[in-house]
Amino acid sequence: MKNLIIASTSTLHGSGYLEYLLDELSLFFEDVETIVFIPYARPSGISHEDYTAKVKDAFKKINKNVKGIHEFDNPAEAIENAEAIFTGGGNTFVLLYQLYKNQLIEPLKKAIRKGTPYLGTSAGSNICGLTINTTNDMPIVYPPSFKALGFVPFNINPHYLDPIKNNTHMGETRETRINEFHAFYSQPVIGLREGSWLRVKGKSIVLKGTLSARIFEYKKVAFEIEVNTELNHLK
Amino acid sequence: MKNLIIASTSTLHGSGYLEYLLDELSLFFEDVETIVFIPYARPSGISHEDYTAKVKDAFKKINKNVKGIHEFDNPAEAIENAEAIFTGGGNTFVLLYQLYKNQLIEPLKKAIRKGTPYLGTSAGSNICGLTINTTNDMPIVYPPSFKALGFVPFNINPHYLDPIKNNTHMGETRETRINEFHAFYSQPVIGLREGSWLRVKGKSIVLKGTLSARIFEYKKVAFEIEVNTELNHLK
């Protein structure tokens, strides 16, 4: 049975890394001793080692061990044997490029199918959608495909931002960008605001956190959904 | 001799389409009767026809005709025979995808080498850099490559945005994103603010408009350059 937390962000403004999620994660990883961490997204270009050290520190607070996937000789085997998996944020293109390069797409899909608990934040959540066509990230590397893991049957836009009132900058709003996506593809997109997450259990996909989320469906007007909304019909 | 205007944006807040540039364009296109317009970037997903109509309206004010490249049977031939070329903004991925699909990369390079005047705004400027790895756009389609036209020997970040003070949103600043790019590539990036453009004449590349621009060089601290700075050493 699928068992995932797909979070918009790792960090809320003014709070520590993963802090807002720690109570939830304590329950989520209740039976887990060691989490395999995927540091490939490299926020600010930091090394896999430095990123893993930061994640280790955060999980110490709930008494969990963390091992970076780069520490294993065989990353596919590491995923296969993992008690639990966490993919952190950073750059979605860099992350997906590295997953393809290390041939981890199929092992990850297999692990999630058999019920290995998976936590994603930001880029690590983006890749849980059908494709990364709705990431906010800069395309700093060219992955062999934009196809992602498809743990949920729609696309995800993490760090969703509402249009800023009286903004004088002429770059597109997030909503305009997602509408442009729908000029080419028909799958739904969920705009997850910082502080929101999706809780996936088997076929159930429920919005959690304190904020509403925004749903973009093909040829429909975007609309808000409230916390605890079941999204298993969205596809 | 290369002859280009590479502009950050088509439109300044509170002003009409291309309005801030019209005096400059009147001179730039002085000897030109008809401009071939490339509408492929499709801002907000609008059709090639609607986008071209909008551009025709703007150029009427300086007595120039505009013909959309989609109106020609042979787009490569249209580029080859063009008196002048304008590539408008929208989505950089959609634009580049369509340029590859219609096999226009080489014809465009050839036209620019022989001196056909070229105007780019936003996405139409992004593709003038070495690659589109530093676009701000959402990757709504997957182009066969991120390699762009290389009319200038560096990358461009149009609509450059300074970090917003006291911002509580946790998405990366533009500067962080460009620094992440430099974890993988070494070419310089110019952050062009809205209202700025690069004036390319042969080997000369000069910053124009009213604002400074921000230069990001590999392993250097980013710095500002003033209007009228010559950038032909930047590579």
Side-chain angles (χ1 to χ4, degrees):
Chain A
M1 192 186 82
K2 274 189 201 168
N3 189 19
L4 298 92
I5 290 180
I6 301 174
S8 175
T9 186
S10 62
T11 314
L12 290 183
H13 183 74
S15 139
Y17 184 71
L18 288 177
E19 202 178 307
Y20 79 103
L21 266 178
L22 278 183
D23 286 349
E24 184 76 18
L25 295 181
S26 198
L27 281 170
F28 184 65
F29 291 127
E30 199 172 10
D31 305 325
V32 172
E33 215 165 275
T34 301
I35 300 159
V36 173
F37 174 57
I38 301 179
Y40 293 159
R42 299 183 57 194
S44 300
I46 62 168
S47 69
H48 296 156
E49 290 73 16
D50 289 352
Y51 198 7
T52 303
K54 180 181 171 174
V55 170
K56 272 185 185 167
D57 269 357
F59 277 103
K60 236 181 236 162
K61 291 171 196 157
I62 56 168
N63 301 310
K64 304 293 166 193
N65 298 322
V66 169
K67 197 165 173 187
I69 194 158
H70 60 287
E71 299 171 42
F72 293 88
D73 289 334
N74 185 332
E77 216 175 84
I79 293 297
E80 198 184 325
N81 298 329
E83 283 179 82
I85 300 162
F86 169 35
T87 308
N91 186 287
T92 305
F93 296 88
V94 176
L95 169 58
L96 193 61
Y97 176 91
Q98 206 64 21
L99 290 180
Y100 276 108
K101 192 179 161 197
N102 291 331
Q103 298 181 291
L104 289 181
I105 301 289
E106 284 312 314
L108 277 167
K109 284 184 178 176
K110 214 170 144 189
I112 270 53
R113 266 200 304 271
K114 77 173 182 192
T116 308
Y118 177 99
L119 166 67
T121 60
S122 192
S125 292
N126 233 317
I127 58 167
C128 295
L130 293 174
T131 71
I132 65 159
N133 286 99
T134 52
T135 175
N136 314 307
D137 292 343
M138 198 171 256
I140 57 177
V141 298
Y142 184 72
S145 166
F146 284 169
K147 269 192 199 141
L149 297 164
F151 297 156
V152 290
F154 45 79
N155 267 35
I156 293 168
N157 180 256
H159 299 282
Y160 182 75
L161 251 190
D162 294 289
I164 298 160
K165 272 182 198 154
N166 307 317
N167 194 5
T168 59
H169 189 257
M170 301 301 287
E172 299 85 355
T173 64
R174 199 64 65 77
E175 182 147 348
T176 300
R177 290 166 187 263
I178 296 171
N179 286 335
E180 287 180 1
F181 168 72
H182 277 150
F184 296 91
Y185 293 99
S186 61
Q187 66 244 41
V189 181
I190 181 165
L192 273 183
R193 295 187 176 88
E194 293 177 349
S196 294
W197 66 91
L198 297 176
R199 183 70 178 93
V200 182
K201 282 186 199 173
K203 289 189 174 167
S204 165
I205 307 168
V206 176
L207 176 66
K208 292 290 180 185
T210 54
L211 301 166
S212 67
R214 197 156 182 84
I215 304 287
F216 301 84
E217 285 185 286
Y218 184 61
K219 291 192 175 176
K220 285 193 192 172
V221 176
F223 59 95
E224 294 288 314
I225 54 158
E226 297 307 313
V227 171
N228 291 324
T229 301
E230 172 61 68
L231 291 167
N232 63 5
H233 59 280
L234 192 68
K235 60 183 107 187
Chain B
M1 192 186 84
K2 273 190 202 167
N3 189 20
L4 298 91
I5 290 181
I6 299 174
S8 174
T9 186
S10 61
T11 313
L12 290 182
H13 183 73
S15 136
Y17 185 70
L18 288 177
E19 202 177 306
Y20 80 102
L21 266 178
L22 278 183
D23 286 350
E24 185 76 16
L25 295 181
S26 199
L27 281 170
F28 184 65
F29 291 128
E30 200 173 7
D31 303 326
V32 172
E33 216 165 275
T34 301
I35 300 159
V36 173
F37 175 58
I38 301 179
Y40 293 160
R42 299 182 57 192
S44 300
I46 63 168
S47 69
H48 296 156
E49 290 74 16
D50 289 352
Y51 198 6
T52 303
K54 180 181 171 172
V55 170
K56 272 185 185 168
D57 270 359
F59 276 103
K60 238 182 235 162
K61 291 171 195 157
I62 56 167
N63 301 310
K64 302 293 165 195
N65 298 323
V66 169
K67 198 166 172 184
I69 194 160
H70 61 287
E71 299 170 41
F72 294 87
D73 288 336
N74 185 332
E77 217 176 82
I79 293 298
E80 199 184 324
N81 299 328
E83 283 179 82
I85 300 162
F86 169 36
T87 307
N91 185 288
T92 305
F93 296 88
V94 176
L95 169 58
L96 193 62
Y97 176 92
Q98 205 65 22
L99 290 180
Y100 276 108
K101 192 179 161 198
N102 291 332
Q103 297 181 291
L104 290 181
I105 301 289
E106 283 313 314
L108 277 166
K109 284 184 178 175
K110 215 170 143 188
I112 269 53
R113 267 199 305 270
K114 76 172 183 194
T116 308
Y118 176 99
L119 167 66
T121 60
S122 190
S125 292
N126 233 318
I127 57 168
C128 295
L130 292 174
T131 70
I132 65 159
N133 287 99
T134 53
T135 175
N136 314 307
D137 292 342
M138 197 171 256
I140 57 177
V141 297
Y142 183 72
S145 167
F146 285 168
K147 270 194 199 138
L149 296 164
F151 296 155
V152 290
F154 44 79
N155 267 35
I156 294 169
N157 181 256
H159 299 281
Y160 183 75
L161 251 189
D162 293 290
I164 297 160
K165 272 182 197 153
N166 306 317
N167 194 5
T168 59
H169 189 256
M170 301 301 288
E172 300 85 355
T173 64
R174 197 66 63 78
E175 182 146 349
T176 300
R177 290 166 187 264
I178 295 171
N179 286 335
E180 287 180 1
F181 168 72
H182 277 150
F184 295 90
Y185 294 98
S186 61
Q187 66 245 40
V189 181
I190 181 165
L192 272 183
R193 296 187 176 90
E194 293 177 349
S196 293
W197 65 93
L198 297 177
R199 182 70 178 94
V200 182
K201 282 186 199 174
K203 289 189 174 166
S204 166
I205 306 168
V206 176
L207 176 66
K208 291 292 180 183
T210 54
L211 302 167
S212 67
R214 198 156 180 84
I215 304 287
F216 302 84
E217 285 185 286
Y218 184 62
K219 291 191 174 174
K220 285 195 192 170
V221 176
F223 59 95
E224 294 288 314
I225 54 157
E226 296 308 313
V227 171
N228 291 325
T229 301
E230 173 60 68
L231 292 167
N232 63 6
H233 59 279
L234 192 68
K235 59 184 105 185

